[in-house]
């Protein structure tokens, strides 16, 4: 009888122990995952990586983050990397460009902060004035729809071309425009190649970050765009990460007085469009 009671007692203890372990597993299964402190940030060609390394990175490292920086040779490589998860955030694109790519590749990116960005401008090494324009004048513009639409809006403002009514942004192409005062010969190039190709054309519309990156002045442009909000540069992430602490800390870094002081203290960023959030610093 004593042996029987001992066996029963051991069995009860084992059963209670197992139940306790299962209960603990159940209570942990619904717990929020631990916030990560290692993130990967992607960049295309331009000044945004330099801004990040010199000012944003120290702010994040002070908060305990380890950041891996990935630089892509072509902007078109960045967003697929975001979709597949090899980078957590990117700094290189506008809202309009991001939304176009979301539709094109089935991504779900959102913008969380504006970045000091350079406006597009019309530049030339052959001409010192816009008055030299005539039929047959060659103008280089970017090959992607969003930046091309921006570029041709500059030419439209000058009266060189007309944008057809109903022309979109995401599906913009050279057929979305027609001649106005002049029959302009439009040359379509990769955005990063226009600056180095100015010797081959009369004028070129260059994204301002390439101008700054080359050590030139944005204010040397013969015409500077008034950049609309949809074309201003943003920090973009996947929507699923929108409420993570690291995303909030990244946003805070870009809106911080420290980053504002860095940007406004460097001559090469003269002419950049500054974030509205800085008005409260």
């Amino acid at each position: 009888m004593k042996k029987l009671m001992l066996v029963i007692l051991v069995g009860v203890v084992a059963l209670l122990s197992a139940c306790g372990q299962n209960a603990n597993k159940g209570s942990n299964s619904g717990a929020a995952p631990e916030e990560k402190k290692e993130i990967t940030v992607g960049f295309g060609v331009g000044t945004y990586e330099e801004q990040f390394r010199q000012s944003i990175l120290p702010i994040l490292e002070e908060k305990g983050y380890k950041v891996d920086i990935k630089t892509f040779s072509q902007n078109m490589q960045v967003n697929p990397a975001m979709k597949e998860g090899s980078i957590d955030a990117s700094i290189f694109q506008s809202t309009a460009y991001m939304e176009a790519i979301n539709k094109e590749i089935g991504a779900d990116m959102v913008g969380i902060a504006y970045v000091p960005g350079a406006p597009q401008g019309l530049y030339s090494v052959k001409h010192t004035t816009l008055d030299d324009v005539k039929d047959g004048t060659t103008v280089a513009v970017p090959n992607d729809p969003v930046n091309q639409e921006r570029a041709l809006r500059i030419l439209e403002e000058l009266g060189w071309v007309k944008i057809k009514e109903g022309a979109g942004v995401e599906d913009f192409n050279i057929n979305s425009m027609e001649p106005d005062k002049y029959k302009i010969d439009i040359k379509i190039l990769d955005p990063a190649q226009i600056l180095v190709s100015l010797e081959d054309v009369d004028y070129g519309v260059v994204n301002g970050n390439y101008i700054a990156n080359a050590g030139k002045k944005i204010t040397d442009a013969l015409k500077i765009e008034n950049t609309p909000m949809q074309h201003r540069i943003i920090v973009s992430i996947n929507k699923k990460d929108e409420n993570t602490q690291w995303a909030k800390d990244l946003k805070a870094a870009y809106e911080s007085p420290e980053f504002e002081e860095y940007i406004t203290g460097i001559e090469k960023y003269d002419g950049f469009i500054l974030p509205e959030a800085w008005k409260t610093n």
Side-chain angles (χ1 to χ4, degrees), residues 89-123:
S90 71
I91 297 94
F92 82 102
Q93 66 186 340
S94 68
T95 301
Y97 186 86
M98 178 190 72
E99 290 176 349
I101 296 298
N102 274 344
K103 292 181 180 179
E104 182 178 325
I105 68 174
D108 192 20
M109 296 178 288
V110 295
I112 59 172
Y114 286 100
V115 175
Q120 281 190 345
L122 187 64
Y123 296 84

Side-chain angles (χ1 to χ4, degrees), residues 226-279:
N226 181 20
T227 311
M229 294 301 293
Q230 67 174 341
H231 290 313
R232 297 187 184 183
I233 303 301
I234 56 173
V235 178
S236 51
I237 63 172
N238 289 312
K239 187 172 179 59
K240 67 179 179 62
D241 295 322
E242 196 170 14
N243 294 316
T244 59
Q245 188 58 49
W246 67 260
K248 293 175 182 177
D249 288 338
L250 181 59
K251 171 182 170 67
Y254 270 97
E255 296 179 350
S256 68
E258 293 88 346
F259 185 48
E260 178 184 4
E261 184 177 352
Y262 162 75
I263 291 293
T264 55
I266 297 181
E267 185 178 0
K268 73 182 292 182
Y269 297 126
D270 288 350
F272 270 50
I273 304 162
L274 304 182
E276 295 288 322
W278 288 0
K279 292 180 179 178

Side-chain angles (χ1 to χ4, degrees), residues 129-198:
T129 175
L130 298 176
D131 294 336
D132 293 341
V133 63
K134 58 186 179 181
D135 289 348
T137 290
T138 53
V139 181
V141 300
N143 60 358
D144 68 275
V146 173
N147 281 311
Q148 189 175 113
E149 188 262 352
R150 291 173 62 188
L152 288 171
R153 292 291 180 190
I154 294 176
L155 303 189
E156 182 182 48
E157 189 176 342
L158 293 171
W160 295 7
V161 303
K162 282 184 179 179
I163 306 300
K164 294 179 181 178
E165 187 176 350
V169 174
E170 300 164 2
D171 58 350
F172 192 91
N173 60 67
I174 199 65
N175 295 320
S176 301
M177 57 141 281
E178 58 189 19
D180 192 356
K181 295 178 182 177
Y182 308 97
K183 294 180 180 179
I184 301 296
D185 183 6
I186 300 295
K187 304 294 185 183
I188 301 174
L189 301 176
D190 182 273
Q193 296 302 312
I194 297 177
L195 179 59
V196 297
S197 301
L198 287 179

